[in-house]
Structure formats: structure tokens, C-alpha cells
Amino acid sequence: MSATVAPASRTSGPLSAPGSRRRMVVVLGILSVLTVLIAFGLLAWGNPMPVGTPGFWRIAQLRVTTLIVLALVAIAQATATVAFQTVTENRIITPSIMGFESLYTAVQTGAVYALGVAGVTAVKGPWQFALQVAIMVGLAMALYGWLLRGRYGNLQIMLLIGIIIGGGLGAVSTFMQRLLTPSEFDVLAARLFGSVANADPSTLPIAIPLVLIAAAALWGGSRRLNVMALGRAAATSLGVNHRGELLRTLFFVAVLIATSTALVGPMVFLGFLVATLAYQFADTYDHRYVFPVAVLTAFVVLAGAYFTMKNVFYAQGVVSIIIEIVGGAVFLLVILRKGRL
């Protein structure tokens, strides 16, 4: 009598392919180890006291603020870019298309133009940080909320207007910069680079809850973002309020990018770079896995660039140089590979 062979169990889901779960564990493990090593390296490298001694930890505590800033920027840029690319159904564009970097440049340039070098000092502190974030988020939601609710509401039109506004703000900033004295321009130029040195520790009590709450809200809506990635028609047929979810996502994206930009300055290609790498590493559509991979990747890239600039080129804080070069190269490779935007 022949034995009956039970049919092989079949599973479906984001990690249903053979070896995909093991791959995810390996990827998260490697990124976590790199995160810990780089974080410890930032605390220990150049520390004159032996590791583990009270003097070592006393000096390390002075560097914790830098780690917190790097972690906040990594969470904000990675989470916002992945969510933004999902709702726009485009893996090329990033939230920088909404004009936040141009607005930051206009605010900083306007302060120096109107108040002189003293303007840089005048636009520092928690009140300025909160005001700048509120202006960025308020303008973004007023404009994009109006466009998406209009009779001819269209996401592509919204993005096009964002590009035009960003270009206009950039032109105004360039005009004001040409009227500055050389000394004023030197001071301003240092502020316009994406740099950890731009972060004011007094603003962290505001930045930390903003980033954590906005990121948690997007992570909590991972399943809805999975549906949004299918497109408007499919999402609507599956019971998702597409317009409401789009506005909700854009609001939290605006909060994250505005907070990151106001904290350290513009970093145009960071989000694109880490989102592209995250999708390659995770190899899944599920945002429950893409988000943590993207955040860990962002921290490794950002902290690694900071470590390199500080200890190799002795340009402490200025991380945007490496990120813009690497991110720009990856952007061109992706464009040339796909052959379209």
C-alpha cells in the first residue's frame, strides 16, 4: 500500500520567496552591526582616554549630541523619501522636489541680506527652528492640499508646481547673494551646506518628538502604503481613501523633511540614495521591512560620511559633499539604466 504524500505547503506574502526571510535577517543583521560599529567609532576615535574608563565616557557624552542629530536626519530622510516615492508611484523623485531646500536657502539668505552677519545669530534657537518648520509645513500643505482638492487636482501638476516654486525661490536667493559683501557671503555659504555643525542642540527637544511621531505615523500606516503603491484605482477598489491617505502621507513627509532641513540644512540626494539602496537590500514591497532597512542604511551612509569627513579630510560636520557626489552618481546610473524618469 503506497504512502500518501502530503502536498507542500504554499505561502504568499512579501517574504514568501525561497530564502527571502533569511536574506532579510542577514541584511538587517549586517546593517545593525555596521550601525553599532560606526556609532562606537564616532564616540571612541580620537578619544584620548582608555575605553571603558570614566574619562572615556565623560568625553563620549560630549559626542552623543552628534549621534542624535545623525539618527534624526537618517530617520527623517529615509522614512519620508520611501513614503513619498510610494504615493507618487515614482522611484526617482524625492521630497526635495517640494521646494524645502529652496525655502531653507531663501530664509537663511534673507536673514543675512536683511540683518547682515548678525542675521545668522538672529535666526538661531528653538523659536526660529519651530517657526521655520511651521512655515515649511504650512506652505506645503496649503499649496498641495488646495491643488489635490481642486477640480483638476492632479499629483503630477502638484509636483510640477513644486519645481517651479523651488526654482523661483532659488532665483530670489541667488539675487540676494549677489548683493552681499564677501564676508557676509562666506558666513552664509557655510550655512547652506548640509552639515551636522549647523544643528543647534537647543532645538533637539522640538526636533526629536517631531521626527519620532511623524515616522511612527508613517510606519504605522505601512499596510495602507502597500495598497497605495498599487495605484489610485486599485487602492480605491480595495477600500482605501486615496486622496485622504495621500494628504496624510504628504503631511508627515513635510514634517520630516522640514525638520531635517531646518536642523542640518539641505541634503538633496541622501533620501534618494538610501531609498534606492533599501529597495535593493530588502527586495520586497512591504513597507514594514523597507522602512527599517532604509533607516539603518541612511544612518550607515550619513554617519560613515561624517566619520570620513571628520577624520580623513578634517572637514568636521560637512557630510553633504560625499553624499551629493555618491548620490548624484547613483541617480545618473539609475536614470541611464531605466532610460526614463
Side-chain angles (χ1 to χ4, degrees):
M1 185 176 181
S2 59
T4 303
V5 179
S9 60
R10 297 182 178 180
T11 60
S12 61
L15 299 177
S16 59
S20 58
R21 291 185 180 275
R22 181 170 55 189
R23 172 193 172 97
M24 181 60 63
V25 171
V26 171
V27 167
L28 289 175
I30 293 175
L31 290 174
S32 298
V33 170
L34 289 175
T35 297
V36 173
L37 290 177
I38 293 176
F40 182 76
L42 290 174
L43 297 177
W45 191 274
N47 193 324
M49 305 301 294
V51 177
T53 61
F56 171 85
W57 293 113
R58 192 173 296 110
I59 295 175
Q61 287 177 358
L62 301 176
R63 305 180 180 183
V64 169
T65 300
T66 298
L67 284 179
I68 294 175
V69 172
L70 292 172
L72 289 177
V73 175
I75 294 172
Q77 291 282 345
T79 306
T81 303
V82 170
F84 186 78
Q85 290 181 347
T86 296
V87 297
T88 57
E89 302 177 46
N90 193 310
R91 295 280 183 88
I92 298 296
I93 61 176
T94 66
S96 62
I97 201 173
M98 299 170 75
F100 291 115
E101 284 81 4
S102 298
L103 180 58
Y104 172 85
T105 300
V107 170
Q108 298 296 328
T109 304
V112 176
Y113 177 78
L115 305 175
V117 176
V120 176
T121 304
V123 294
K124 291 182 66 176
W127 67 270
Q128 174 272 338
F129 178 83
L131 179 62
Q132 190 165 333
V133 171
I135 290 174
M136 289 181 180
V137 176
L139 289 177
M141 295 313 300
L143 175 63
Y144 302 129
W146 169 68
L147 288 174
L148 292 174
R149 283 195 173 95
R151 179 180 178 184
Y152 303 103
N154 184 285
L155 186 62
Q156 282 68 39
I157 294 177
M158 181 198 78
L159 298 177
L160 179 60
I161 292 179
I163 295 175
I164 295 173
I165 292 176
L169 290 174
V172 172
S173 300
T174 301
F175 173 75
M176 289 189 292
Q177 290 169 13
R178 289 182 177 274
L179 301 179
L180 298 177
T181 65
S183 59
E184 291 174 338
F185 182 80
D186 287 342
V187 173
L188 174 64
R191 302 279 302 174
L192 298 184
F193 275 105
S195 174
V196 179
N198 290 339
D200 184 354
S202 65
T203 64
L204 292 181
I206 300 175
I208 291 174
L210 284 177
V211 170
L212 294 182
I213 291 173
L218 291 176
W219 286 34
S222 293
R223 295 183 183 275
R224 292 192 298 273
L225 286 174
N226 293 341
V227 179
M228 291 285 288
L230 300 175
R232 180 171 185 171
T236 303
S237 64
L238 291 173
V240 174
N241 181 354
H242 185 273
R243 179 173 294 179
E245 187 64 25
L246 177 60
L247 289 173
R248 172 184 174 276
T249 302
L250 288 177
F251 171 75
F252 289 119
V253 167
V255 171
L256 290 172
I257 296 299
T259 303
S260 173
T261 304
L263 189 63
V264 300
M267 291 189 179
V268 178
F269 284 111
L270 176 61
F272 170 79
L273 177 61
V274 300
T276 301
L277 293 176
Y279 280 113
Q280 295 296 320
F281 294 157
D283 194 25
T284 180
Y285 64 86
D286 197 334
H287 290 76
R288 292 176 298 172
Y289 303 104
V290 177
F291 278 142
V293 171
V295 169
L296 290 174
T297 302
F299 184 84
V300 170
V301 171
L302 187 61
Y306 177 81
F307 184 88
T308 302
M309 294 300 297
K310 178 182 178 182
N311 298 294
V312 177
F313 298 102
Y314 303 102
Q316 182 173 344
V318 183
V319 297
S320 61
I321 296 175
I322 292 180
I323 292 174
E324 298 303 315
I325 293 174
V326 177
V330 172
F331 181 83
L332 290 177
L333 288 175
V334 171
I335 291 293
L336 293 174
R337 183 178 178 181
K338 293 182 66 174
R340 61 182 178 84
L341 289 175

